[in-house]
């Protein structure tokens, strides 16, 4: 079978360029012109395409390798080559007569390297054209890196051009001051088009300026060969190749060096992201697509924080993998919605939490006495229906806790119904179905509804309407444990009851300590609506109702 070794083509005068991405693996099928790997120098990046269609036998370069023209990239088993005469082999197979295939970059990004030609004489305004870019087709001008009035040195980047396969920076052919821009970002240009006018600095000027004000960036050394250069109307632009060490890829706005491949540059342009603001994680500071994604997510997250009304800075992301193995998993939709709701409430509502213990010794013995009847009814009577019932009574007597702020805070809406939300812990996250008209239901009805709604919640069968209309919420962690917690108000409600695990405690009855079953309660409320007195009265009444459930009948 014939095999071809694809070689690095003329890369436009660079001694070598770094492999920043290998696009294929052994066994992959490739087409002619399909990219095999991406090379990037400090001035340009390019895909090296396959010269033949076939199957990749071996990839001869890896990320980080420095490859020069003629270096071997990959061995390809040519498709359909079986039809050739037996023994016909590619360059790696020993067919001496066959030259290794040297890939031309599918969209050559770099033309022939041109030495900087003599620059113009003193005070000459010169036109800087698009140099030989290896194609006659127009290419996108994706960035103008200088502005009128900028003092630039020979080799500084003037503009960045981009094709589907490559991006390249056009360096200045001379030192001087930009006097006019002839192109704008987003336009298309081809070889010979004038990019800008440059007031080129001559040797004499340069020396004088250096003498008068010392060495400065504005008085960069004249371009090679300028000293005796005759006046010229058009300065031959340097080819878009890696330039001398004085020329860095400098971002117009920040002065930082930016390395990024064409796809990343295009994506950044589409998002409107300034590349110089993006933290790079690629080799040698190269910006990767993931870096852009992370930049955009952070920008959105911080905007959400600001939209929350607090204008607080976002919590910085930490690279936890620096400290050990990590696993990143996508959060459920419910978790994300809960997070947004919690943050909104936390930022908007001035929370206060008040604590008390309800003595549920008698309530529990009554509840346990009903176990047989509960079984007969095919239901389960936990403390929760008692709590819901007691809350309904206490809410009717302390109506502020069943209200919401309205008209931007100038009025209160009192609800003449008692609908109570019940926080349910499910594998997919926290949901809060609402039990309607709690005040009008019996304990048995409430017990059935708790079971039904909790079941639906865990099976993800709740309808949106099942979770709407609540005026107050009960969050019971009693079956899970804990001595107390401070729940977050489920705004626009103004209060929420957190129920913790009941425990037998010694309680002083005036003469002796008695073992009593104490239920810890924490009531969080919106202090814009509910005052400490309102909350204290509500909680005291609630504890009294739970302490003697006969009062629920009154
Ligand atoms: N103290 C001691 N035991 C309690 C208790 C309490 N406060 N509350 C419940 N229990 C007991 C029950 O009596 C039951 O035991 P028995 O079967 O022996 O009677 C057991 O704990 C299990 O109860 P349960 O959880 O099945 O039922 P529930 O009615 O108490 O609660 C529900 C139902 C849906 C509220 C609950 O299952 C749940 O999901 N709780 C979590 C709510 C939550 O996540 N809140 C936090 C929100 S903020 O992040």
């Amino acid at each position: 079978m014939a095999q071809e070794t694809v070689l690095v083509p003329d890369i436009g005068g660079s001694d070598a360029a770094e492999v920043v991405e290998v696009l294929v693996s052994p066994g992959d099928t490739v087409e002619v012109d399909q990219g095999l790997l991406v090379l990037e120098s400090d001035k340009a990046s390019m895909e090296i395409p396959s010269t033949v269609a076939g199957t990749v036998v071996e990839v001869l370069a890896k990320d980080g390798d420095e490859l020069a023209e003629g270096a071997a990239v990959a061995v390809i088993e040519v498709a359909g080559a079986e039809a050739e005469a037996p023994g016909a082999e590619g360059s790696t197979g020993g067919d001496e007569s066959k030259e290794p295939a040297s890939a031309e970059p599918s969209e050559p990004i770099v033309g022939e390297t041109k030495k900087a030609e003599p620059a113009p004489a003193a005070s000459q305004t010169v036109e800087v054209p698009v140099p030989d870019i290896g194609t006659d087709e127009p290419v996108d001008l994706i960035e103008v890196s200088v502005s009128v009035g900028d003092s630039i040195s020979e080799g500084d980047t003037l503009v960045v051009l981009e094709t589907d396969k490559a991006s390249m920076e056009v360096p200045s052919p001379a030192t001087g001051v930009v006097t006019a821009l002839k192109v704008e970002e987003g336009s298309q240009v081809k070889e010979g088009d004038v990019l800008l006018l440059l007031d080129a600095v001559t040797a004499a000027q340069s020396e004088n300026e250096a003498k008068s004000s010392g060495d400065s960036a504005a008085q960069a050394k004249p371009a090679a060969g300028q000293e005796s250069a005759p006046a010229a109307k058009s300065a031959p632009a340097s080819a878009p190749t890696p330039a001398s060490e004085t020329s860095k890829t400098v971002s117009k706005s920040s002065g930082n060096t930016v390395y990024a491949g064409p796809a990343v540059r295009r994506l950044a342009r589409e998002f409107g992201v300034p590349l110089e603001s993006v933290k790079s994680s690629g080799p040698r500071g190269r910006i990767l697509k993931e870096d852009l994604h992370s930049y955009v997510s952070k920008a959105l997250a911080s905007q959400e924080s600001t939209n929350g009304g607090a204008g607080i800075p976002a919590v910085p992301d930490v690279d936890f993998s620096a400290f050990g193995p990590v696993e990143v998993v996508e959060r459920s939709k419910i978790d994300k919605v809960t997070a947004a709701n919690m943050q909104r409430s936390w930022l908007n509502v001035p929370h206060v939490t008040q604590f008390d213990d309800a003595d549920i010794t008698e309530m529990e013995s009554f509840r346990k006495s009903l176990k047989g009847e509960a079984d007969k009814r095919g239901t389960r009577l936990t403390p929760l229906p008692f709590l819901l019932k007691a809350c309904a009574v206490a809410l009717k007597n302390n109506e502020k806790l069943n209200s919401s702020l309205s008209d931007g805070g100038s009025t209160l809406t009192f609800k003449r119904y008692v609908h109570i939300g019940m926080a349910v812990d499910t594998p997919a996250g926290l949901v809060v179905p609402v039990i309607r008209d709690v005040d009008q239901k019996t304990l048995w009805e409430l017990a059935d509804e708790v079971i039904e709604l909790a079941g639906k919640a865990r099976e993800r069968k709740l309808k949106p309407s099942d979770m709407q209309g609540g005026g107050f919420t009960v969050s019971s962690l009693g079956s899970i444990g804990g001595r107390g917690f401070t729940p977050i108000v489920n705004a626009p409600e103004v209060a929420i009851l957190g129920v913790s695990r009941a425990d037998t405690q010694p309680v002083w009855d005036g003469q002796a300590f008695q073992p009593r079953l104490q239920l810890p309660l924490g009531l969080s409320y919106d202090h814009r609506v509910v005052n400490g007195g309102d909350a204290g009265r509500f909680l005291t009444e609630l504890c009294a109702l739970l302490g003697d459930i006969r009062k629920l009948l009154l």
Side-chain angles (χ1 to χ4, degrees), residues 342 367 380-385 422-425 430 450 454 458 475-480 485 499-502 519:
M342 292 296 170
R367 182 182 74 86
R380 214 162 56 95
L381 193 60
T382 65
L384 190 56
M422 164 184 80
V424 181
D425 177 41
L430 174 68
V450 165
R458 292 189 176 118
S475 176
S476 173
L477 289 174
S479 61
I480 297 169
F485 64 105
V499 182
S500 296
R501 188 167 191 80
L519 179 68

Side-chain angles (χ1 to χ4, degrees), residues 59-74:
V59 180
L60 300 166
K62 58 180 186 323
D63 274 5
D65 283 356
E66 294 277 340
L67 301 186
E69 181 181 344
V73 170

Side-chain angles (χ1 to χ4, degrees), residues 387-406:
L387 274 158
L388 291 166
K389 196 76 193 163
C391 283
V393 173
L395 285 170
K396 286 199 129 187
N397 294 333
N398 299 272
E399 54 184 7
K400 252 195 194 174
L401 282 93
N402 191 21
S403 73
S404 284
L405 279 169
S406 42

